[in-house]
Amino acid sequence: MVRLGVVPLEGLNYSGHEPRRLLYTARQHKIGVISVTAILRADTGSSERGVMMANPDAVNIMVLANDYSKIHAAAMLTAVAATYGKPIRIFVSMEALAAFHQNPAISSTIAQGPVAHKIMAVGGSTFIDLFRQAKELGDVTLYACSMVMDLYHWTLSDMVDIFDETLGVAGFLAMVEGETTFTL
Amino acid sequence: MAEDVKVVDARDSYCPGPLMELIKGIRQEPVGTVFEVWSSDAGSGKDIPEWVKRAGQELVSSEQDGTVVKIRVKKIK
């Protein structure tokens, strides 16, 4: 049986990651890939390349460690890379995800080394500030790992309001295949 | 006539703060605006010119004034 799905296109910018995000959404709804490809071909502003091939300009970062400094480094890289017009995806998983929880009792469990303490002491921008700036400046998408969210029964409303959606590791790997990906 | 210069005083800011302040200014002001970033962050002396080159803007000058680096950048696009 062929199932025809319709994905609303209004308001989407068909550059950077959007074709891949659209494809991912289609998969979530079990909409055939051929149907999505047809939609993209009908839109002159979209890039089939975004679906079919890796984007050489894209930067992807997996943030996993229970380490404030590594999360801060990811945020700095993201903020600057965003200003170059590079599409950036951040996948936050494992112990790192707790750092983004709205409850300070949870977010404060993240390990803070000497540099993290120094950043806080001088009142420097937090990694949350930097990710927010990056999102304002460019094509930045943050994903919260669905496995960790499920393990702790967290929802996106429990987290700081910078995530675009939850995503599994398989979904992330499918999106970033062939692209530059860092792990912190 | 002397060129108007918009000073971006980022002396209390740490990397990448001065650069981000400059970028905010560039996004807000029209083409032709000249900015002078004041930064006490030593890395800005290299980071900001590198960003300016990569972003296709114009580096007018860069000079050290005591502990502060003053970098002039012209928005050309």
Side-chain angles (χ1 to χ4, degrees):
Chain A
M1 186 181 84
V2 175
R3 183 170 174 233
L4 179 63
V6 177
V7 178
L9 306 179
E10 294 84 0
L12 290 179
N13 171 17
Y14 286 96
S15 63
H17 296 145
E18 292 300 350
R20 280 166 176 260
R21 192 187 296 179
L22 183 60
L23 181 58
Y24 176 76
T25 305
R27 282 178 181 152
Q28 293 291 294
H29 291 86
K30 296 185 169 32
I31 297 170
V33 173
I34 293 170
S35 301
V36 177
T37 304
I39 291 168
L40 291 174
R41 281 179 177 160
D43 180 275
T44 54
S46 67
S47 166
E48 281 184 54
R49 201 166 169 281
V51 174
M52 307 305 288
M53 293 175 62
N55 182 346
D57 291 331
V59 174
N60 303 288
I61 307 177
M62 297 179 74
V63 185
L64 311 176
N66 176 25
D67 187 332
Y68 185 102
S69 296
K70 288 192 175 184
I71 300 172
H72 196 87
M76 289 198 300
L77 285 169
T78 302
V80 177
T83 69
Y84 290 146
K86 290 175 176 288
I88 304 153
R89 298 187 199 89
I90 312 294
F91 181 68
V92 186
S93 182
M94 301 304 169
E95 277 76 8
L97 192 55
F100 295 81
H101 202 284
Q102 288 196 54
N103 183 344
I106 297 173
S107 60
S108 63
T109 60
I110 201 77
Q112 296 168 2
V115 175
H117 287 133
K118 199 73 179 171
I119 289 169
M120 291 174 183
V122 300
S125 297
T126 66
F127 62 81
I128 298 290
D129 295 335
L130 290 169
F131 277 128
R132 282 197 203 286
Q133 285 179 13
K135 287 178 78 84
E136 286 169 12
L137 293 171
D139 180 8
V140 177
T141 310
L142 274 96
Y143 300 101
C145 174
S146 55
M147 182 202 75
V148 177
M149 299 286 278
D150 288 347
L151 283 174
Y152 287 95
H153 307 293
W154 294 340
T155 66
L156 282 184
S157 62
D158 295 318
M159 313 305 285
V160 176
D161 184 24
I162 56 172
F163 288 103
D164 294 86
E165 58 185 297
T166 58
L167 184 67
V169 69
F172 184 73
L173 286 176
M175 284 180 175
V176 306
E177 189 174 1
E179 297 180 349
T180 302
T181 304
F182 302 97
T183 303
L184 292 171
Chain B
M1 192 177 99
E3 198 167 27
D4 280 343
V5 174
K6 287 202 169 294
V7 172
V8 178
D9 187 351
R11 284 176 292 178
D12 294 328
S13 189
Y14 293 85
C15 174
L19 172 61
M20 303 309 284
E21 291 299 316
L22 170 64
I23 292 167
K24 275 186 208 166
I26 285 178
R27 286 166 63 91
Q28 288 168 1
E29 300 297 333
V31 170
T33 304
V34 176
F35 300 88
E36 185 170 284
V37 186
W38 297 354
S39 176
S40 52
D41 171 58
S44 295
K46 289 181 180 175
D47 276 6
I48 291 178
E50 189 60 37
W51 181 87
V52 169
K53 183 179 167 187
R54 179 77 165 71
Q57 304 297 348
E58 181 184 328
L59 180 67
V60 178
S61 64
S62 177
E63 63 181 48
Q64 195 72 35
D65 183 1
T67 58
V68 176
V69 61
K70 294 182 174 178
I71 304 162
R72 283 198 179 197
V73 177
K74 185 171 187 177
K75 179 174 178 175
I76 58 173
K77 68 174 190 178

